[in-house]
């Protein structure tokens, strides 16, 4: 397999919610998370940890932890839940977000479809989505949960777009 160059990679990445029946090799998931380990982090502590879920029953339960917009977690081929020990980490949300962006880009690089599924401050079925996930996966209270990422080999992918940055030179 040939991998895309950076410019092509960022321009073609899309959130993928439609997956083929092809299995993602465990090795590719490891490579995606190895890339995420290099994400910048507050205080340079590289604090992210990841729960990888490939068991269908648990994935469906994870999808059910949020009332809306979490479907791909249940029907994808794998799910990743980034977690972070937020004790003494004021910027844990930012750390988790940057690492998750690395996951999305690395997935694209390795030909894996991925989608950010937001969890923080979202409604679950018994309480907040975070509380439901914490109970499902046994995550300690002092770990923050910003989101999950659904993964699968892409079936349909959104079109390549032409996007331009809004830039203010020198002053707003
Ligand atoms: C902070 C954030 C929260 C998101 N939450 C969800 C979500 O809960 N469910 C979902 O299907 N997609 C979610 N997405 C994916 C966005 O819908 C997607 O990135 C956006 O529509 C742009 O499409 P693109 O990723 O293909 O460029 C989220 C993305 C971000 C960055």
């Amino acid at each position: 397999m040939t991998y895309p160059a950076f410019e092509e990679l960022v321009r073609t990445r899309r959130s993928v919610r439609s997956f083929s029946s092809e299995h993602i090799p465990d090795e590719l998931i490891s490579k995606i998370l190895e890339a995420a380990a290099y994400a910048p982090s507050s205080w340079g502590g590289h604090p992210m940890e990841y729960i990888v879920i490939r068991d269908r029953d648990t994935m469906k339960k994870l999808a059910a932890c949020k009332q809306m917009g979490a479907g791909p977690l249940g029907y994808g081929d794998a799910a990743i839940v980034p977690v972070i020990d937020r004790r003494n980490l004021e910027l844990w949300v930012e750390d988790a977000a940057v690492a998750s962006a690395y996951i999305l880009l690395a997935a694209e690089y390795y030909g894996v479809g991925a989608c950010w599924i937001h969890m923080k401050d979202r409604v679950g079925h018994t309480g907040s989505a975070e509380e439901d996930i914490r109970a499902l996966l046994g995550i300690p209270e002092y770990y923050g949960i910003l989101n999950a990422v659904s993964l699968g080999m892409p079936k349909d992918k959104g079109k390549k777009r032409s996007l331009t940055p809004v830039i203010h030179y020198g002053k707003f």
Side-chain angles (χ1 to χ4, degrees):
M1 180 168 182
T2 54
Y3 295 123
F6 183 74
E7 194 173 312
E8 182 69 8
L9 177 82
V10 294
R11 285 170 186 263
T12 54
R13 186 213 57 81
R14 297 299 312 266
S15 293
V16 177
R17 302 178 184 84
S18 175
F19 307 118
S20 75
S21 56
E22 197 183 338
H23 190 62
I24 307 168
D26 286 334
E27 181 195 302
L28 278 192
I29 294 183
S30 298
K31 282 180 168 294
I32 289 166
L33 293 179
E34 280 162 23
Y38 287 87
S41 60
S42 60
W43 305 103
H46 302 287
M48 297 311 303
E49 300 173 35
Y50 303 96
I51 302 172
V52 176
I53 305 161
R54 307 214 66 172
D55 159 64
R56 175 70 51 205
D57 184 51
T58 308
M59 286 166 59
K60 282 186 176 164
K61 286 179 179 160
L62 179 64
C65 285
K66 188 170 87 151
Q67 274 190 7
M68 285 173 62
L73 289 171
Y75 62 73
D77 187 45
I80 295 172
V81 181
V83 293
I84 174 169
D85 184 342
R86 60 186 169 195
R87 290 174 296 184
N88 303 318
L89 257 190
E90 189 192 352
L91 302 180
W92 73 267
V93 169
E94 290 81 353
D95 285 346
V98 175
S100 295
Y102 269 55
I103 290 175
L104 298 183
L105 285 172
E108 176 72 23
Y109 182 76
Y110 291 114
V112 175
C115 186
W116 175 313
I117 307 291
H118 202 72
M119 295 297 176
K120 184 174 179 292
D121 301 326
R122 290 291 174 267
V123 181
H125 282 284
T126 58
S128 71
E130 292 165 79
E131 285 166 357
D132 286 5
I133 294 175
R134 209 177 286 292
L136 176 69
L137 303 177
I139 301 168
E141 186 278 325
Y142 51 87
Y143 271 71
I145 305 162
L146 178 68
N147 65 329
V149 180
S150 62
L151 300 164
M153 298 310 280
K155 187 171 161 196
D156 292 319
K157 190 177 163 183
K159 289 196 182 76
K160 190 171 170 178
R161 301 157 297 185
S162 179
L163 298 174
T164 48
V166 178
I167 305 175
H168 307 274
Y169 287 101
K171 202 174 174 188
F172 188 86

